Amino acid sequence: MQLGLDFSLVEELVAGVDEVGRGPLCGPVVTAAVILDPARPIAGLNDSKKLSETRREALFDEIREKALAWCIARAEVEEIDRLNILHATMLAMQRAVEGLSVTPRMALIDGNRCPKLAVPSAPVVKGDSQVPAIAAASILAKVSRDREMQELDSLYPGYGIAGHKGYPTAVHLEALRRLGPTPIHRRSFGPVRDLLDVPR
């Protein structure tokens, strides 16, 4: 049984697609699509969650430099609340693939379902630890969202957003109870909805 990324899956014009930010109580869901260049391999690609922040930052720049095409896209808090997180994620993935400067032959999507796309697609469960292009997409999405959450932390101090990135940690939940939701909090998510007493 082969473990880890299968670099025979770096095929020409196959896009890898991944998301970050489905679970947080605030901020956008961010997606990325990447078409790697078989002639310009990138060493050290892996699921973004398995890499240090320093390594992710370095790979972020290398992926953007060496990939045949890449696009980072998103769905905003308002869209998440209106559509629900699954549909908002699918929309953001669609935007990432449509935003590529090169049309892929196929898109491989991390997870167990695919957004509606104009190109053939297939889901790959745990794709970010198997398919190099999905791993690359996971790094672009994570670094991009993490940077944004650092900025939002200075706009909305007191919530610890730079540390927990919006996830429902004890620190975040306590700050929410103490300070109340901000405009970047997702009203459709239970802990925020309960504080606002918004009808379901």
Side-chain angles (χ1 to χ4, degrees), residues 151-168:
E151 291 169 17
L152 289 172
D153 185 72
S154 57
L155 281 177
Y156 301 102
Y159 292 85
I161 294 170
H164 54 63
K165 309 296 190 288
Y167 284 88

Side-chain angles (χ1 to χ4, degrees), residues 123-141:
V124 184
V125 174
K126 298 196 187 320
D128 47 9
S129 54
Q130 296 178 65
V131 179
I134 296 179
S138 81
I139 291 164
L140 292 194

Side-chain angles (χ1 to χ4, degrees), residues 28-41:
V29 60
V30 176
T31 59
V34 177
I35 302 174
L36 292 173
D37 184 347
R40 303 185 76 195

Side-chain angles (χ1 to χ4, degrees), residues 6-142:
D6 182 354
F7 281 88
S8 69
L9 294 173
V10 181
E11 294 177 49
E12 205 169 346
L13 299 187
V14 171
V17 185
D18 202 2
E19 56 72 29
V20 67
R22 280 177 69 162
L25 303 178
C26 66
V29 60
V30 176
T31 59
V34 177
I35 302 174
L36 292 173
D37 184 347
R40 303 185 76 195
I42 298 169
L45 282 179
N46 205 339
D47 170 4
S48 63
K49 295 184 288 296
K50 296 177 182 169
L51 299 169
S52 69
E53 185 176 350
T54 307
R55 189 77 192 105
R56 282 196 302 266
E57 290 279 348
L59 284 166
F60 182 83
D61 294 333
E62 190 177 355
I63 292 161
R64 294 189 307 162
E65 180 202 335
K66 289 184 174 177
L68 283 174
W70 59 271
C71 179
I72 298 167
R74 59 200 284 125
E76 303 296 349
V77 170
E78 177 274 322
E79 292 175 309
I80 293 167
D81 286 340
R82 181 163 46 85
L83 299 171
N84 80 35
I85 186 61
L86 173 63
H87 289 103
T89 302
M90 293 295 119
L91 176 62
M93 286 181 165
Q94 199 176 31
R95 288 169 175 163
V97 175
E98 287 173 355
L100 290 167
S101 58
V102 175
T103 303
R105 285 194 296 113
M106 181 175 197
L108 297 177
I109 315 291
D110 185 59
N112 60 5
R113 63 181 71 209
C114 295
K116 288 197 176 91
L117 298 172
V119 297
S121 61
V124 184
V125 174
K126 298 196 187 320
D128 47 9
S129 54
Q130 296 178 65
V131 179
I134 296 179
S138 81
I139 291 164
L140 292 194
K142 178 152 179 60

Side-chain angles (χ1 to χ4, degrees), residues 187 193 196-200:
R187 267 95 182 120
R193 188 181 60 228
L196 293 164
D197 204 23
V198 175
R200 288 166 195 265

